Amino acid sequence: MSIRRLPEKLVNRIAAGEVVERPAAALKELVENAIDAGATRISVRIAEGGMARLEVEDDGCGMTAADMALALERHATSKLPTDAIEDVTTMGFRGEALPSIASVARLTLESRVGGGDGWRRVVDNGAVIAEGPAALAKGTRVLVEDLFARVPARRKFLRSPRSEYAACLDVAKRLAMARPDIAFVVEHDGRRVLDVQGGQDRLSRVAALTQRELAANSIGVDVERGEARLGGVISLPTYNRGIADHQYLFVNGRPVKDRLLVGALRGAYADLLARDRHPVVALFLDIPTSEVDVNVHPAKTEVRFRDPQLVRGMIVGGLRRALDEHGFRSVQRPAEAALSAWQQEPVPPPEPATGFLFGRRTEPAVHLFGADITPAGEDVARVYDRLVPFASAAPAPPSGRAEVAVAPPPMADEHPLGIARGQIANTYIVAEAEDGLVIVDQHAAHERLVLEQLRHGMAGRAVPSQGLLLPEVVELDEPACDRLEAAAPQLAALGVELERFGPAAVMVRATPAMLGAIDTQKLVNDIADDLAGYDAALGLSEKLELVAATMACHGSVRAGRTLSVPEMNALLRQMEVTPHSGQCNHGRPTWVKLAMDDVEKLFGRK
């Protein structure tokens, strides 16, 4: 086969595959052009996630008719006055965006310079079909319609309109955060979803685009090393999220997603956050253009540093120093009741005839927690129906010492985990087994028990729900509400009953009864984070399996809570009949055993 020169239209479509792989990429290029044009206000209108319509209007410098014709040619740009590509100071510089978009969609370009006449040019999938005068104010308006309509191979790889809209909104937020001096307005299907005024400071703009509470739970960062400067805001370790979607990184005002920067951020928060929790950050790195290469990928979201170790050290050291200076804010102090519980006298035991389970009267303890809790041949699932949920009643009076048992304690040789003898630091249960000493992490253990009960609900045995006296409205961003609304029937099987309450809120009517009194706001936020954070390849049922683990954590016995002897023994007995109770939902052990021989060795008896 002989070599041939590809036609210009096909070349443009090939280039479009790198620059414009989805509506969000096209929106990014258009908004960046508006920023480079010196706009003070940028308006974005989206329809059907950007697949049907994308419109970007600005009040920048505008273009003449001749400039418009040239802008639609490949590799034509006003942003590189010289050949020094290593000295790029603008958002765009390749000259590929407009011709690439015009080759795979219907593009209408209207613009007017100050003191001149407006002009309009329409390009349909690479062919100019109309041009002429246009009436508009100073600035530029770009309309993109039917993206990839004539490129079915590309269009079939697009996601649902909701997913594409979420990606477009994320792009708009990142660019708005990069330039707090510019006003941004975003409308989707005729409804305004984002409106921020220009002239804001960085903290106000970041808080407006993330969460309002960030302003009161954040730390300012300001570090300088030579000609490099790092600024921005970071959240306290105690203010975190289940996914890393609220981490915004900017290099010379350009939003980037760089592995080096993400790794440095993880290193700065090492030992301060659990592995599955992520901080909320917005970091702005200003560095000489000669020290960074932005010409790595056509999408311009990746950068390469001349001295990556300097940048990483600057981020890790700067964030660590800021966190250390606010260390007292980074640590949640324990409750005063937990600190003073060890000095209090034990509460007199209840009546001998009955036991108490977290303040709720139950059947005699010897019948509820005795050795015959699981008769031979009985299904383990039925045990759950007879066990009283731990977290659904009021806590026991604070006490740092073990209470006198209300019934003769079971013999240690009848149970693998032994019998409870006391509690350490209101966190660990100490039990005596036949062959040693058992120490149980009460929170980790009960977290696993609650998770297994929730899993039984997912298997067809619906989890009992507790209706709220007053339904609670939880405000979230629109994509998070979309995910919760789609998963509402499955969440109902887990005991969470919610419904959509406007574009950016859900109303919670009931929560799982076994979770007791919980922070509904935090629970719903974490569920939304889980639905978004897990691999998109997972099905909804698999995602809900992981969501159940988050719900179990909310409803578990907390560290720092005083338990009575019947409560401790009830927890041990339930562990003995629950699958996988030897480890918590995060893979850590729930109990350890110190053999009696080892105890005797500690005292020199062997």
Side-chain angles (χ1 to χ4, degrees):
M1 181 181 296
S2 60
I3 299 176
R4 71 184 183 97
R5 188 183 299 275
L6 295 177
E8 186 69 16
K9 184 179 296 187
L10 182 57
V11 171
N12 286 337
R13 287 192 175 183
I14 294 174
E18 294 181 334
V19 179
V20 189
E21 76 273 9
R22 62 189 307 186
L27 177 63
K28 173 180 176 294
E29 298 291 345
L30 298 179
V31 174
E32 286 181 348
N33 283 343
I35 293 174
D36 288 337
T40 61
R41 180 179 179 82
I42 299 175
S43 299
V44 177
R45 299 176 185 86
I46 306 170
E48 296 183 18
M51 293 185 288
R53 180 187 178 95
L54 269 178
E55 183 179 346
V56 177
E57 184 176 0
D58 66 73
D59 60 354
C61 63
M63 292 181 288
T64 64
D67 285 340
M68 290 173 60
L70 196 57
L72 291 169
E73 295 183 11
R74 293 192 64 216
H75 305 306
T77 180
S78 62
K79 303 170 185 179
L80 278 179
T82 67
D83 294 339
I85 194 173
E86 69 278 359
D87 192 25
V88 174
T89 58
T90 55
M91 302 291 283
F93 56 90
R94 290 174 173 267
E96 292 182 310
L98 286 178
S100 295
I101 296 172
S103 68
V104 292
R106 179 187 174 93
L107 183 141
T108 302
L109 180 62
E110 298 176 330
S111 188
R112 185 173 80 85
V113 297
D117 297 326
W119 193 257
R120 176 172 176 264
R121 192 178 182 91
V122 182
V123 182
D124 189 3
N125 288 270
V128 179
I129 61 174
E131 63 177 325
L136 75 160
K138 173 177 168 288
T140 303
R141 181 166 58 234
V142 184
L143 174 62
V144 180
E145 300 173 288
D146 299 327
L147 186 65
F148 299 132
R150 299 186 188 177
V151 191
R154 177 71 61 178
R155 192 176 181 88
K156 71 178 182 181
F157 284 101
L158 296 180
R159 298 186 179 180
S160 66
R162 283 186 176 182
S163 297
E164 297 299 337
Y165 159 62
C168 289
L169 185 60
D170 181 68
V171 164
K173 284 184 176 181
R174 291 180 185 273
L175 290 169
M177 197 176 296
R179 294 296 301 268
D181 57 314
I182 301 177
F184 279 82
V185 175
V186 179
E187 296 180 1
H188 180 238
D189 289 337
R191 182 170 46 83
R192 183 165 296 188
V193 295
L194 178 66
D195 189 352
V196 290
Q197 300 302 314
Q200 294 180 306
D201 59 85
R202 281 179 174 174
L203 177 57
S204 299
R205 177 59 63 92
V206 171
L209 295 174
T210 54
Q211 294 172 315
R212 299 172 185 173
E213 302 86 358
L214 179 63
N217 293 276
S218 61
I219 301 171
V221 177
D222 191 359
V223 183
E224 286 191 30
R225 287 191 183 178
E227 296 183 273
R229 180 171 183 176
L230 178 68
V233 292
I234 61 175
S235 68
L236 294 169
T238 50
Y239 186 80
N240 51 65
R241 291 174 60 86
I243 54 177
D245 65 335
H246 278 38
Q247 294 180 356
Y248 304 94
L249 306 173
F250 306 88
V251 177
N252 293 341
R254 183 190 305 277
V256 299
K257 297 179 180 179
D258 185 78
R259 291 184 179 180
L260 171 67
L261 299 178
V262 173
L265 184 62
R266 189 180 301 113
Y269 277 87
D271 303 325
L272 297 176
L273 285 176
R275 287 176 296 178
D276 58 344
R277 307 301 297 179
H278 304 275
V280 178
V281 302
L283 294 179
F284 301 83
L285 176 64
D286 295 313
I287 191 170
T289 55
S290 59
E291 298 297 316
V292 59
D293 181 11
V294 297
N295 189 28
V296 177
H297 189 274
K300 303 187 296 294
T301 57
E302 301 177 18
V303 294
R304 186 173 298 140
F305 297 100
R306 183 184 297 273
D307 190 352
Q309 292 306 316
L310 171 67
V311 175
R312 188 183 192 283
M314 185 177 180
I315 295 176
V316 174
L319 268 60
R320 277 287 188 178
R321 189 178 305 112
L323 291 169
D324 291 342
E325 291 174 356
H326 295 78
F328 69 97
R329 295 181 61 201
S330 302
V331 179
Q332 282 190 339
R333 296 186 58 79
E336 294 298 326
L339 293 174
S340 61
W342 290 100
Q343 281 73 42
Q344 297 183 5
E345 292 299 320
V347 178
E351 299 176 5
T354 58
F356 280 79
L357 190 61
F358 288 80
R360 176 175 292 181
R361 186 178 297 274
T362 68
E363 294 297 326
V366 292
H367 298 305
L368 183 60
F369 308 122
D372 61 344
I373 188 170
T374 311
E378 183 175 0
D379 181 22
V380 174
R382 297 185 180 180
V383 175
Y384 292 111
D385 298 335
R386 303 211 315 269
L387 291 174
V388 180
F390 276 81
S392 59
S399 174
R401 306 177 184 175
E403 297 180 7
V404 178
V406 297
M411 297 301 295
D413 58 356
E414 295 178 355
H415 303 287
L417 295 181
I419 56 175
R421 295 301 188 191
Q423 190 180 18
I424 300 176
N426 288 351
T427 302
Y428 303 100
I429 298 172
V430 180
E432 179 186 359
E434 181 181 16
D435 55 348
L437 195 66
V438 177
I439 302 178
V440 179
D441 183 335
Q442 65 189 41
H443 171 66
H446 195 247
E447 189 177 353
R448 167 60 67 177
L449 301 182
V450 174
L451 174 60
E452 293 301 324
Q453 292 188 14
L454 290 172
R455 284 179 171 170
H456 275 280
M458 294 176 62
R461 303 169 57 85
V463 176
S465 61
Q466 174 65 51
L468 302 180
L469 183 61
L470 294 176
E472 186 166 347
V473 176
V474 180
E475 294 184 358
L476 300 156
D477 56 38
E478 192 170 352
C481 293
D482 290 339
R483 292 188 291 268
L484 288 170
E485 184 181 22
Q490 291 78 11
L491 290 174
L494 293 175
V496 179
E497 298 178 11
L498 53 81
E499 62 187 47
R500 193 67 174 263
F501 191 74
V506 294
M507 178 181 289
V508 183
R509 296 191 175 277
T511 59
M514 67 177 66
L515 303 188
I518 59 172
D519 186 344
T520 306
Q521 178 93 20
K522 191 173 187 306
L523 174 65
V524 174
N525 270 282
D526 284 352
I527 292 176
D529 285 348
D530 287 347
L531 290 174
Y534 293 118
D535 191 343
L538 295 178
L540 181 58
S541 60
E542 294 172 297
K543 287 186 178 182
L544 290 175
E545 184 84 2
L546 301 172
V547 166
T550 297
M551 295 174 60
C553 186
H554 280 269
S556 302
V557 175
R558 296 295 178 185
R561 177 173 175 178
T562 304
L563 305 181
S564 65
V565 168
E567 292 165 350
M568 297 181 208
N569 279 317
L571 184 63
L572 297 177
R573 301 292 78 80
Q574 195 172 358
M575 288 177 64
E576 291 169 352
V577 297
T578 300
H580 313 299
S581 63
Q583 65 180 38
C584 76
N585 307 341
H586 310 291
R588 297 187 296 269
T590 58
W591 60 275
V592 293
K593 178 180 287 187
L594 187 62
M596 194 57 65
D597 289 344
D598 294 331
V599 174
E600 292 179 346
K601 287 178 182 178
L602 292 175
F603 292 93
R605 290 181 174 271
K606 283 193 176 182

